Amino acid sequence: MGIIEFFVNLLKDPRGFIAGWIITLGPIWVYSPLFLIVFVETGLVFFPFLPGDSLLFAAGVFSADGGGLNLATTLIVFYAAAILGNTSNYWIARFFGKRIIDSGKVKALTPERMAKLDGFFERFGGLTIIITRFMPFFRTFAPFIAGTGHMNFAKFTLFNIIGGVSWVSLFVLVGYFFGGVPFIQEHFEIIVLGIVGVSVLPAIIGAIKGMVATYKGKKSK
């Protein structure tokens, strides 16, 4: 299975993957792929497309009684992955940010997204790190942009912890408390795709607004 195919399948059916990991890895090592996926999504600017939101939700479902995961452990593992991931991303940008941007190898790090994040930092300051936690793609790029000079590390760490804990708690606990509802169990894949859709909606709206603004600008010339 290729890496792209793996992530597409994980996005469509995180429940199936977690169930498989519980069986093959056992009650302790099952947390290693969960940690790794969230850490990589938030910590490496090259992987903004990983299914963080849906994975957190599905892990919350399995953290209910008899699901195979422990709620406290699930939360702690994801807290650590989210916070350490952003911290890694920040320091990668500190040392290699300009080189990575100039190389053009991160195709998803478009000038439009960078400009939007610059606008977020100008408008919201450190709250940008919290706000973008709930926005796929942007949550990967925000700590990177912060590390290129928008924020000192102490301030970044405060907002990083708040954002990481808030993001993980929301999706895991929603899965934990509501994942056992029969309707959700019967339509799990559709609901997961719905979560992904709602998550990326702000990015889509922002892209559309940017395209409209560009069109209007060209038309007015």
Side-chain angles (χ1 to χ4, degrees):
M1 182 185 295
I3 188 68
I4 300 299
E5 184 183 357
F6 168 79
F7 288 131
V8 169
N9 290 334
L10 178 61
L11 178 65
K12 292 193 300 183
D13 186 24
R15 183 171 59 173
F17 276 83
I18 294 176
W21 292 332
I22 291 173
I23 294 170
T24 57
L25 299 176
I28 296 177
W29 288 106
V30 64
Y31 295 101
S32 55
L34 301 178
F35 175 93
L36 186 62
I37 290 169
V38 171
F39 176 85
V40 169
E41 184 199 10
T42 57
L44 300 179
V45 73
F46 300 99
F47 295 95
F49 48 80
L50 299 187
D53 298 336
S54 57
L55 185 70
L56 296 179
F57 175 79
V61 174
F62 279 94
S63 297
D65 291 341
L69 299 180
N70 175 269
L71 178 61
T73 304
T74 299
L75 288 170
I76 291 170
V77 167
F78 281 139
Y79 290 155
I83 293 168
L84 293 175
N86 261 21
T87 302
S88 169
N89 209 337
Y90 177 94
W91 286 108
I92 288 173
R94 271 291 180 93
F95 291 109
F96 307 108
K98 188 176 186 305
R99 196 180 308 172
I100 291 172
I101 293 171
D102 291 344
S103 72
K105 292 182 178 179
V106 185
K107 303 301 182 182
L109 192 58
T110 62
E112 291 78 15
R113 287 198 178 108
M114 292 178 64
K116 190 170 184 65
L117 282 168
D118 284 336
F120 265 115
F121 277 107
E122 290 176 7
R123 184 176 179 183
F124 301 110
L127 288 175
T128 298
I129 302 301
I130 298 176
I131 295 169
T132 54
R133 274 290 188 183
F134 300 88
M135 303 168 65
F137 288 95
F138 289 107
R139 69 166 154 261
T140 302
F141 300 137
F144 184 85
I145 299 299
T148 60
H150 282 79
M151 195 179 301
N152 67 63
F153 184 62
K155 184 177 180 181
F156 169 81
T157 298
L158 172 63
F159 289 106
N160 180 25
I161 292 172
I162 295 172
V165 170
S166 301
W167 176 56
V168 168
S169 297
L170 175 64
F171 283 97
V172 170
L173 292 179
V174 167
Y176 177 80
F177 286 112
F178 298 102
V181 174
F183 178 83
I184 293 178
Q185 290 285 348
E186 294 168 9
H187 303 85
F188 193 86
E189 289 189 10
I190 295 174
I191 289 171
V192 165
L193 292 176
I195 290 172
V196 174
V198 170
S199 298
V200 301
L201 190 59
I204 295 173
I205 292 173
I208 293 173
K209 286 183 177 179
M211 292 171 61
V212 171
T214 302
Y215 174 76
K216 288 182 177 180
K218 290 181 179 179
K219 192 174 181 180
S220 62
K221 289 182 180 180

